[in-house]
Amino acid sequence: MKTGMMSLRAWIAEHVRSEHALSRVLRNTSWLLAGKGFAALLSIVYLAAAARGLGPARFGQFVLVLGMGQAISSIVSFQTWRIVVRFSAIHRARGDDQAFARVALFCIALDILSAITGCVIAWVGVGLIGPLLGWTTALAQDALLYAFVVLLTIRSTAIGLLRVSDRFRDSAAADSVMAITRLTGALLILAIGPTPARFLIAWGASEVTTALAYWLLVRKHVPIRIDRAVIAGMGAIGEENPGLWRFAGLTNLGATMTAAQQQLPLLLVGIAAGPIAAGLFRFAYQLGQALQRLADMLSRALFAELADVHAREGAVAMHTLFLRTNRVTLIGSAAVMAAIVLLGYPALYLIGGSAYLPAYIPLLLLGGAAALELAGASFEPALLSAGKAANVLAIRALVVLLLCFFLWQLLPLFAEVGAAVAMLLATLFGTLLFRKAAYSLVKMNL
């Protein structure tokens, strides 16, 4: 028996240390899952604190402010972590530290530029959209301040530097800081009296602490040095990284499309049906997102690995990894949907109370969208790692157009349920389009 246990431990240790590409994807996903899983458990507590403490109407106001800030941040974001992973993998494979540092410096500059641009957009956007959402002057000011905090707490490049350095464990640790800060703030707010403004302060503080955690971990673990030689060579950044500017522009537009797909329904529900409907929709969406994070984690780990495999071993090895990963995502997708069906209703009651039980139907629909996202988690990374950012952008744009059409048809009739149906249909079409594009790429290169 003891010998058997030792053999099992040896097999596990060998498996975990394995440098096989699929093993690394699953290992890195497991680190992200550990951090996000811990954060998800804490998020249930602070979500319950906000939902129960504020009630559906004020909770709706609170989440509309969050949606506004996140939408603006995503619109101006260049997703620089993708740029770091896409181009730095090649330089690290060649041992070119200066070229690696120049990509990092370029991405930091993009982050700063997007933050400044976002602050201007937020100032204009809050003034235009705030009255449509019924915000008071005080709430509009709070929304603007929260948007500034989200935009100025730059960390996308830091995320990319940790991931391209295979420091997914450190990323998980940094992500957990956000959940801990929010939980601490939520419990304190419950003790002194819940208001949307106080919860916004706690959420803003979590953005600051998370950004600090990421950059401290980069400083500790990522060997990067920005000196005069690196700065002097910045003029050649485009020559060192063919396709860099195009990829940066396309990922920015892609982030805008993704933001529209994720945040537009919430804001439109708030405008068309009021804060209570928006609160119910967001509550269901937040629970669905807790499961959809698995798709996001797998996608991010896979993108880093596909970029590395493409740089080191070529297209055939990358496509082999892609095909094997698809089997894993299909199993995970079925498990996600089963969990939502079985646990969704009791979860709504335990977390939010009876006032949020009407969110069950939107939860099932948004959970279906989450399951589809997980089933197709490998499609977009495969296209991006092969330099097909234009294909990704075209599909995202089409999905947003479909979403707008479905919202136009369904939102006036069915409020938050109609918005959830619109998101499910748009996600279904998007997954099918991404699947077709990704498999066409595989067949073309095999």
Side-chain angles (χ1 to χ4, degrees):
M1 180 70 177
K2 189 173 182 179
T3 303
M5 287 296 294
M6 290 299 294
S7 299
L8 178 60
R9 289 176 183 173
W11 181 87
I12 292 173
E14 181 181 355
H15 180 74
V16 171
R17 289 193 301 266
S18 171
E19 288 304 304
H20 189 280
L22 183 58
S23 296
R24 289 199 298 268
V25 169
L26 296 178
R27 183 191 65 200
N28 289 336
T29 303
S30 69
W31 278 119
L32 289 175
L33 182 59
K36 294 291 187 180
F38 173 73
L41 290 174
L42 296 187
S43 72
I44 292 174
V45 181
Y46 64 67
L47 179 64
R52 288 177 177 268
L54 295 174
R58 291 197 301 170
F59 181 73
Q61 293 177 336
F62 169 62
V63 298
L64 284 170
V65 172
L66 296 182
M68 171 76 77
Q70 291 165 358
I72 294 171
S73 176
S74 298
I75 287 170
V76 300
S77 170
F78 282 91
Q79 293 286 297
T80 50
W81 76 267
R82 292 185 183 274
I83 301 174
V84 172
V85 171
R86 172 71 176 85
F87 293 95
S88 292
I90 298 173
H91 300 313
R92 287 181 67 82
R94 296 172 180 169
D96 192 340
D97 293 338
Q98 288 198 351
F100 173 63
R102 274 190 282 272
V103 171
L105 185 57
F106 173 79
C107 289
I108 292 171
L110 278 184
D111 282 340
I112 295 172
L113 175 63
S114 66
I116 295 172
T117 304
C119 287
V120 176
I121 294 175
W123 182 69
V124 176
V126 169
L128 293 175
I129 298 177
L132 297 177
L133 295 171
W135 287 350
T136 63
T137 302
L139 187 58
Q141 291 176 347
D142 292 339
L144 185 59
L145 290 174
Y146 176 76
F148 284 170
V149 171
V150 171
L151 289 161
L152 295 173
T153 48
I154 296 168
R155 62 176 180 273
S156 184
T157 298
I159 293 171
L161 290 171
L162 288 175
R163 286 177 181 162
V164 81
S165 302
D166 200 28
R167 305 294 306 191
F168 283 79
R169 177 174 59 183
D170 295 309
S171 290
D175 281 333
S176 67
V177 172
M178 177 174 285
I180 293 171
T181 305
R182 288 183 179 179
L183 176 61
T184 304
L187 295 178
L188 179 61
I189 289 166
L190 284 181
I192 63 176
T195 65
R198 287 171 177 169
F199 277 105
L200 286 174
I201 292 172
W203 263 239
S206 72
E207 297 285 343
V208 174
T209 56
T210 304
L212 288 174
Y214 263 109
W215 284 110
L216 288 173
L217 288 168
V218 166
R219 182 178 180 182
K220 182 178 180 181
H221 295 295
V222 181
I224 181 172
R225 181 180 179 184
I226 299 177
D227 52 23
R228 291 183 179 179
V230 170
I231 296 173
M234 286 301 294
I237 188 76
E239 297 176 9
E240 285 184 332
N241 304 276
L244 174 67
W245 289 101
R246 181 172 181 270
F247 187 87
L250 291 174
T251 52
N252 173 255
L253 292 173
T256 300
M257 296 298 103
T258 302
Q261 185 178 351
Q262 293 178 346
Q263 305 299 336
L264 182 63
L266 172 67
L267 296 175
L268 289 179
V269 168
I271 293 172
I276 293 179
L280 293 174
F281 179 83
R282 180 67 181 197
F283 195 79
Y285 180 77
Q286 193 77 14
L287 291 180
Q289 281 290 294
L291 293 170
Q292 190 178 358
R293 282 174 186 164
L294 180 59
D296 182 59
M297 286 179 281
L298 181 59
S299 177
R300 294 182 182 212
L302 183 60
F303 177 54
E305 192 59 38
L306 284 171
D308 183 68
V309 169
H310 191 272
R312 296 177 185 273
E313 303 176 37
V316 174
M318 184 194 75
H319 294 146
T320 301
L321 173 60
F322 163 76
L323 293 172
R324 294 184 67 187
T325 306
N326 283 342
R327 302 189 192 103
V328 178
T329 60
L330 286 173
I331 297 172
S333 176
V336 165
M337 198 61 226
I340 291 172
V341 172
L342 295 174
L343 303 177
Y345 197 83
L348 284 172
Y349 182 77
L350 290 173
I351 297 171
S354 58
Y356 292 90
L357 290 180
Y360 181 62
I361 298 301
L363 174 61
L364 290 179
L365 296 167
L366 295 171
L372 286 171
E373 290 277 0
L374 178 55
S378 60
F379 301 152
E380 184 176 345
L383 294 169
L384 288 173
S385 61
K388 302 296 183 180
N391 301 58
V392 172
L393 176 61
I395 294 173
R396 286 290 180 199
L398 182 56
V399 170
V400 169
L401 289 176
L402 288 171
L403 176 63
C404 290
F405 173 76
F406 293 138
L407 287 170
W408 176 50
Q409 293 292 319
L410 299 172
L411 183 57
L413 297 175
F414 305 107
E416 68 272 13
V417 175
V421 173
M423 289 193 71
L424 176 60
L425 291 174
T427 303
L428 174 61
F429 279 101
T431 301
L432 292 175
L433 291 172
F434 272 119
R435 183 183 187 281
K436 182 178 180 181
Y439 273 94
S440 298
L441 179 67
V442 170
K443 292 177 181 178
M444 184 176 62
N445 288 278
L446 288 178

